[in-house]
Amino acid sequence: ETGVTQTPRHLVMGMTNKKSLKCEQHLGHNAMYWYKQSAKKPLELMFVYSLEERVENNSVPSRFSPECPNSSHLFLHLHTLQPEDSALYLCASSRYPGLTYNEQFFGPGTRLTVL
Amino acid sequence: SQQGEEDPQALSIQEGENATMNCSYKTSINNLQWYRQNSGRGLVHLILIRSNEREKHSGRLRVTLDTSKKSSSLLITASRAADTASYFCATDPQETSGSRLTFGEGTQLTVNP
């Protein structure tokens, strides 16, 4: 887990708050991902960045706004969230999304609760 | 049903026994991967098997892949209490060429001491 770090680990916010999740990878990877994990549901891919350019956006509501300033850092900006957005948000990285053998390395996640 | 479905949803065994989890998928794939997740934590990559491979080993893990049946199995031998976790299969579909992994809902494994 030390290869990919996420902060904060826990976050409680109201529906009118604005907050940001941070992810940092120390593996020299070129691709980074945001996933949402809700109870009893498979991991949902939210965004993919490759070389700091967003290559995939899985029709995520605009209240989630990603930012990738460089290949080591990824942010997820949150505003006017809904209670159903409460979940574990996981960041991952891989060498490059176009590679065939692209195992992903995950951070520990941010447990988000929206009141 | 969706890509990457694990079976069973939950499995409870005694320490020392073997645990077998299965995964089925629907589309052609480049590879299939297995991940493990301890409660409320991030996923940890366990093993990757390519579409042209049939079996792969890593320590106490054995993975098989049958592309004709679009299925894979993960066998954990001589299980330990520390193996208690959720196990997910993830498929890398050929159509997306590595830009996306599709995860199943996972198998919750409990190994009783």
Side-chain angles (χ1 to χ4, degrees), chain A residues 72-87:
Chain A
S72 298
H73 294 86
L74 184 65
F75 295 89
L76 188 63
H77 303 299
L78 317 171
H79 63 98
T80 59
L81 294 191
Q82 304 297 311
E84 60 263 31
D85 297 322
S86 298

Side-chain angles (χ1 to χ4, degrees), chain B residues 1 10 22 26 34-35 60 67 69 76 81 103-104 108 112:
Chain B
S1 54
N22 303 296
K26 294 194 176 299
W34 285 91
Y35 288 81
R60 293 184 295 113
T67 52
K69 295 181 179 178
I76 303 174
F103 288 81
Q108 173 62 49
N112 302 299

Side-chain angles (χ1 to χ4, degrees), chain A residues 1 9 33 35 37 42 45 48 56 58 88 90 97-104 106-108, chain B residues 2 30-31 33 35 37 40-43 45 48 50 88 92 97-101 103-105:
Chain A
E1 284 185 347
R9 295 293 306 275
Y33 310 77
Y35 288 90
Q37 186 177 35
L45 178 64
V48 179
E56 186 148 351
N58 241 19
L88 182 67
L90 292 164
L99 284 180
T100 304
Y101 314 123
N102 59 332
E103 58 262 51
Q104 295 185 10
F106 283 79
Chain B
Q2 57 188 342
N30 294 313
N31 63 71
Q33 304 176 31
Y35 288 81
Q37 183 180 34
R41 309 281 292 183
L43 278 70
H45 181 264
L48 180 153
R50 306 174 196 176
F88 297 87
D92 176 11
S97 299
S99 67
R100 147 202 303 255
L101 292 180
F103 288 81
E105 295 183 22

Side-chain angles (χ1 to χ4, degrees), chain B residues 6-107:
Chain B
E6 289 91 345
D7 167 52
Q9 290 189 332
L11 180 61
S12 182
I13 60 174
Q14 294 301 120
E15 212 165 22
E17 294 180 341
N18 295 340
T20 299
M21 288 159 270
N22 303 296
C23 170
S24 61
Y25 59 92
K26 294 194 176 299
T27 63
S28 297
I29 61 172
N30 294 313
N31 63 71
L32 184 144
Q33 304 176 31
W34 285 91
Y35 288 81
R36 163 201 169 121
Q37 183 180 34
N38 288 84
S39 181
R41 309 281 292 183
L43 278 70
V44 175
H45 181 264
L46 295 176
I47 196 164
L48 180 153
I49 186 165
R50 306 174 196 176
S51 59
N52 61 352
E53 296 177 313
R54 292 297 165 256
E55 188 171 311
K56 203 160 182 181
H57 297 255
S58 177
R60 293 184 295 113
L61 305 181
R62 173 178 170 253
V63 168
T64 61
L65 179 64
D66 186 334
T67 52
S68 65
K69 295 181 179 178
K70 291 186 167 58
S71 67
S72 173
S73 68
L74 170 67
L75 169 66
I76 303 174
T77 59
S79 63
R80 307 165 182 168
D83 294 328
T84 294
S86 292
Y87 291 82
F88 297 87
C89 69
T91 51
D92 176 11
Q94 285 184 358
E95 61 190 11
T96 52
S97 299
S99 67
R100 147 202 303 255
L101 292 180
T102 303
F103 288 81
E105 295 183 22
T107 293

